Amino acid sequence: MNICYKCKLPYDSEIRIPKILPCGHGLCIICIEKLFKKGLLMCPKDNIIHQISLEDISTNYVVLEAIDIGNPFEIIKCTNGHEMNILVQTEKEKMKCSVCKKYSDSYYQCVPCLDQICIKCCEWINTTAPNSYRLRCSEGHYLRETLNAEVFYQSIRPHKKHNFFLCDGCLTKTNGRSLQCRQCKLDYCISCVEKYRNLDKNIELLFCSKKNYEGFFGMIIGKYELCNQRLVWRNQNTNFKCFSCGSFFNKSGSFICKECSIAYCISCANKLIP
Ligand SMILES: [Zn+2]
Ligand SMILES: [Zn+2]
Ligand SMILES: [Zn+2]
Ligand SMILES: [Zn+2]
Ligand SMILES: [Zn+2]
Ligand SMILES: [Zn+2]
Ligand SMILES: [Zn+2]
Ligand SMILES: [Zn+2]
């Protein structure tokens, strides 16, 4: 997007110079000048008030350079969607990439997130699609849809051959598309994503299947009542043993029954839908 969010006019290198606020949002210099009130400026996107002078608002050089080249371009964004305008190249000191945790000598900086992201990870962010489901990792990062999850693992562990990736949702080795958190190295395979989508759609039909026996006698004669509480999805409920299949999961979220304090994996929860 090479247009200013506020005036919707295209940026250029002379009049509508692209600027970037400390919150990470971009505007043209003309809109910024108009938005100043008594030395304060409120970002029209998130209403954050910045106490800053005009000279201290940095120019978005990534946008500016792209205008100079005359190329249609996409602004490089961090995983939280901020525009990143600062490309740092260091010779002496290598910096650790916030996404892949590998050291690199050139990276983009996201000012609001205090993140530095290597060129490869920037490519990842800008070649993967944000996912439209509410799936997140346990750290709350939004997952992105990759076309080829194993390629990422190949790039961070080149000494091993990666023809597959391990799906954290069903613990099976697979290849191709996934929903991925690159920071936490979490992947959900497409089959898990489809199941999750089905579950999300039919969440009102999803009930806990735990049998509560009526005392010892009930146990002997097999008299029980089903718990039948609604299950809810929790991204952050990881490290669980699935009540139904008994497998251990350490990165995947789960469907939990608050009444029984038990968790179901995605596949087992999907089987509970009538
Ligand atoms: Zn503008
Ligand atoms: Zn903002
Ligand atoms: Zn990286
Ligand atoms: Zn950011
Ligand atoms: Zn899976
Ligand atoms: Zn994450
Ligand atoms: Zn299970
Ligand atoms: Zn229950």
Side-chain angles (χ1 to χ4, degrees):
M1 290 282 282
N2 52 351
I3 59 166
C4 167
Y5 171 72
K6 185 96 173 78
C7 62
K8 312 277 188 257
L9 291 168
Y11 292 124
D12 59 58
S13 52
E14 270 139 46
I15 299 161
R16 267 172 236 286
I17 298 168
K19 290 281 180 178
I20 190 155
L21 298 176
C23 56
H25 293 129
L27 290 172
C28 76
I29 192 163
I30 295 180
C31 287
I32 286 187
E33 280 172 346
K34 283 189 205 152
L35 284 167
F36 260 107
K37 279 200 187 91
K38 295 181 188 144
L40 299 175
L41 186 149
M42 189 166 85
C43 169
K45 252 189 176 169
D46 52 21
N47 297 337
I48 291 178
I49 295 171
H50 303 286
Q51 191 172 17
I52 194 169
S53 65
L54 189 58
E55 303 78 64
D56 291 332
I57 300 176
S58 44
T59 298
N60 196 336
Y61 287 106
V62 173
V63 174
L64 208 56
E65 270 167 36
I67 293 169
D68 288 347
I69 306 163
N71 267 347
F73 66 96
E74 266 200 90
I75 294 168
I76 300 181
K77 288 188 175 161
C78 80
T79 43
N80 291 321
H82 303 123
E83 295 168 12
M84 295 189 292
N85 66 326
I86 307 163
L87 175 65
V88 185
Q89 274 160 322
T90 56
E91 296 216 326
K92 292 181 202 120
E93 223 184 318
K94 290 201 169 190
M95 292 296 290
K96 195 172 175 181
C97 167
S98 314
V99 174
C100 66
K101 316 283 187 221
K102 281 186 77 178
Y103 286 87
S104 154
D105 50 17
S106 49
Y107 54 89
Y108 283 92
Q109 256 181 350
C110 175
V111 180
C113 297
L114 299 173
D115 276 349
Q116 46 240 359
I117 304 181
C118 75
I119 308 283
K120 271 193 178 161
C121 287
C122 282
E123 232 176 75
W124 171 74
I125 295 169
N126 291 278
T127 53
T128 52
N131 86 82
S132 48
Y133 317 109
R134 275 169 290 162
L135 263 176
R136 297 204 207 184
C137 73
S138 58
E139 297 294 312
H141 306 129
Y142 280 108
L143 306 179
R144 299 183 72 85
E145 188 174 339
T146 70
L147 289 176
N148 215 322
E150 61 273 19
V151 170
F152 166 56
Y153 294 100
Q154 187 67 62
S155 77
I156 56 167
R157 297 186 209 108
H159 50 280
K160 257 173 72 183
K161 189 111 187 78
H162 291 267
N163 295 320
F164 301 96
F165 69 91
L166 181 75
C167 169
D168 294 295
C170 60
L171 306 176
T172 48
K173 282 184 178 170
T174 176
N175 56 12
R177 288 163 68 204
S178 79
L179 284 197
Q180 185 176 71
C181 174
R182 202 168 207 197
Q183 264 130 308
C184 304
K185 302 189 176 58
L186 163 95
D187 284 275
Y188 288 112
C189 73
I190 286 308
S191 149
C192 281
V193 174
E194 290 299 330
K195 284 177 190 159
Y196 175 81
R197 190 162 64 166
N198 183 42
L199 284 154
D200 193 43
K201 252 195 342 225
N202 296 295
I203 195 79
E204 296 90 58
L205 305 174
L206 190 60
F207 298 104
C208 175
S209 67
K210 188 169 183 282
K211 294 171 178 171
N212 293 320
Y213 288 96
E214 290 167 10
F216 182 67
F217 188 65
M219 193 94 117
I220 291 174
I221 61 164
K223 193 160 183 265
Y224 62 82
E225 270 184 61
L226 284 178
C227 161
N228 266 343
Q229 280 288 315
R230 284 249 159 87
L231 301 183
V232 283
W233 172 254
R234 287 283 176 271
N235 294 315
Q236 65 276 29
N237 189 58
T238 56
N239 279 316
F240 66 96
K241 181 184 176 188
C242 172
F243 173 73
S244 196
C245 65
S247 305
F248 287 95
F249 296 80
N250 55 23
K251 285 185 184 169
S252 169
S254 55
F255 287 90
I256 60 166
C257 169
K258 291 183 207 158
E259 192 72 25
C260 316
S261 303
I262 57 172
Y264 293 85
C265 72
I266 296 174
S267 308
C268 292
N270 198 46
K271 287 180 200 148
L272 295 176
I273 291 185

